Amino acid sequence: QVLLEESGGGLVQAGDSLRLSCAASRPTLGIYAMGWFRQAPGKEREFVVAASRTRASTWYEDSVKGRFTISTDNANNTMYLQMDKLKPEDTAVYYCAATSIILRTAMVAFNPRKYEYWGQGTQVTVSS
């Protein structure tokens, strides 16, 4: 069992930056990948970005490429999401997720059902 806790959300203006953190309750050995999803009101949860623990594989959703960057600090069991050039359409609750399942393709990585562990979410609101 891995407990995940997000932090760093908030209210910002379009063009601003935020950094989200996801702290795991134990070392992530045995976890294949960690990532971020988001869910806007009235919409389904959608994939944002994920990376394998070794960083051998990284997947980004097209709308965040060049603006968002995932990073991990395995020594401190923490994952980060640096979000730059934020847009109002980035407004959502952002969830940290982790999985021991090997994500062999982007299609698999994008599927929230492949992730076994989830945080409670942190709200990001971007005003225009």
Side-chain angles (χ1 to χ4, degrees), residues 18-33:
L18 272 178
R19 189 175 80 156
L20 305 183
S21 300
C22 173
S25 60
R26 65 163 178 80
T28 55
L29 192 65
I31 294 297
Y32 174 79

Side-chain angles (χ1 to χ4, degrees), residues 59-120:
W59 305 269
Y60 284 90
E61 195 272 329
D62 284 347
S63 70
V64 306
K65 284 181 181 177
R67 299 189 300 122
F68 291 11
T69 305
I70 189 172
S71 61
T72 55
D73 180 354
N74 291 334
N76 292 303
N77 310 325
T78 303
M79 175 179 64
Y80 302 98
L81 179 63
Q82 177 67 39
M83 304 187 294
D84 299 320
K85 301 177 183 178
L86 282 161
K87 303 176 181 180
E89 51 264 43
D90 295 319
T91 295
V93 176
Y94 282 70
Y95 296 91
C96 170
T99 181
S100 61
I101 298 172
I102 297 175
L103 306 177
R104 299 189 184 278
T105 66
M107 182 177 294
V108 174
F110 279 42
N111 186 350
R113 294 188 178 88
K114 299 299 182 181
Y115 293 79
E116 301 156 288
Y117 308 105
W118 291 87
Q120 294 300 307

